[in-house]
Amino acid sequence: MLIAVEGIDGSGKTTIVRFLVEELRKRGYDVVAFKEPTDSEYGKRIRQILKERKVSPEEELELFIKDREFNVRNNILPALKGGKVVIMDRYYYSTIAYQGALGLDVERIKMLNEQFPKPDLVVILDVSPETALKRIKAKRRPDRFEDVEYLRKVREIFLSLKNNVVVVDAERDIEEVKRDVLKVVIEHLGESFNKDAKL
Ligand code: TMP
């Protein structure tokens, strides 16, 4: 079972992923979480270029794909083969939305990501760019990916994605968001495990 948690910066993804891991473990699931960009050499280069703004969107795209290849081969596939529930803090939906919002062709980005395992469930934490930026600014200085116009485009693309996607209103208090996400995930896990049991 592969679950991706997606959303613009400041949507609360990281808090929600941490919460999900804890709650699912309490319920006896063997669960692991991975984050993209990773800590691989590609991930480190990505973090560097996000600060410097020097490479083209196309080069950025290539790096995110390379980082994902690394993550799938070394982390995601082994965990899935070991029967674990895998929770992703960002996955290829982020590439579609963020690199798409830089002007790259969304269909081509989707195609380049078809080689990777498809999530069984994608939870999009939906928040307005204004709220997201307010949350970010309360903690630190926003970076290049974090201006209202850009985040508006990213959000629009996220909300246009359809397959296995559940959109959760993340404008609300985090406790309400947690409750809703957990409900969606538990229902999904129950369904798929029941389905397997019938085979
Ligand atoms: P993070 O803040 O969740 O660690 O992500 C770092 C930035 O990387 C964030 O602004 C979104 C961006 N990003 C992309 O542009 N494309 C991608 O494929 C991924 C995974 C992240």
Side-chain angles (χ1 to χ4, degrees):
M1 169 71 59
L2 179 60
I3 299 169
V5 180
E6 297 277 9
I8 62 174
D9 312 63
S11 60
K13 271 179 305 84
T14 306
T15 308
I16 291 293
V17 168
R18 206 177 304 135
F19 165 76
L20 274 178
V21 169
E22 272 173 29
E23 288 298 317
L24 294 181
R25 282 204 180 126
K26 272 190 221 159
R27 288 165 170 77
Y29 290 103
D30 189 4
V31 51
V32 66
F34 301 116
K35 178 171 171 44
E36 291 188 3
T38 69
D39 290 329
S40 74
E41 284 312 308
Y42 298 116
K44 283 184 195 145
R45 265 168 65 198
I46 287 170
R47 296 209 183 270
Q48 203 53 39
I49 61 160
L50 293 185
K51 275 191 233 148
E52 292 175 352
R53 308 171 148 216
K54 279 191 189 140
V55 309
S56 68
E58 190 61 39
E59 283 172 87
E60 235 173 64
L61 172 65
E62 271 173 36
L63 276 176
F64 278 112
I65 300 272
K66 289 226 169 78
D67 189 39
R68 185 155 305 126
E69 277 167 4
F70 173 91
N71 204 18
V72 166
R73 192 172 49 244
N74 294 290
N75 299 322
I76 300 174
L77 275 184
L80 289 174
K81 281 184 186 144
K84 292 181 198 291
V85 175
V86 177
I87 303 182
M88 297 298 304
D89 181 341
R90 293 198 187 283
Y91 195 39
Y92 61 76
Y93 292 71
S94 278
T95 318
I96 298 169
Y98 279 84
Q99 276 59 55
L102 288 179
L104 298 183
D105 182 55
V106 162
E107 291 310 314
R108 192 169 68 89
I109 305 174
K110 284 183 187 169
M111 220 180 61
L112 289 171
N113 281 283
E114 274 170 7
Q115 56 178 308
F116 302 121
K118 265 201 178 47
D120 302 279
L121 173 67
V122 184
V123 177
I124 295 183
L125 300 177
D126 183 45
V127 73
S128 71
E130 289 79 6
T131 301
L133 276 172
K134 230 183 269 165
R135 290 181 187 166
I136 293 166
K137 281 178 183 162
K139 285 192 250 170
R140 60 178 168 81
R141 239 180 97 216
D143 66 26
R144 70 160 275 209
F145 274 101
E146 298 165 335
D147 76 76
V148 169
E149 278 320 305
Y150 181 59
L151 290 180
R152 206 186 304 287
K153 279 191 217 150
V154 175
R155 180 192 194 192
E156 212 173 278
I157 300 176
F158 269 136
L159 294 179
S160 73
L161 302 172
K162 297 280 181 274
N163 277 347
N164 299 341
V165 170
V166 175
V167 177
V168 172
D169 176 6
E171 198 77 29
R172 299 166 300 162
D173 183 82
I174 189 76
E175 294 308 317
E176 287 178 56
V177 182
K178 281 179 178 173
R179 195 197 54 214
D180 279 10
V181 173
L182 184 62
K183 185 164 176 280
V184 169
V185 168
I186 293 281
E187 277 172 10
H188 212 85
L189 285 168
E191 265 176 33
S192 80
F193 284 124
N194 286 342
K195 256 186 243 147
D196 285 350
K198 274 185 223 152
L199 291 174

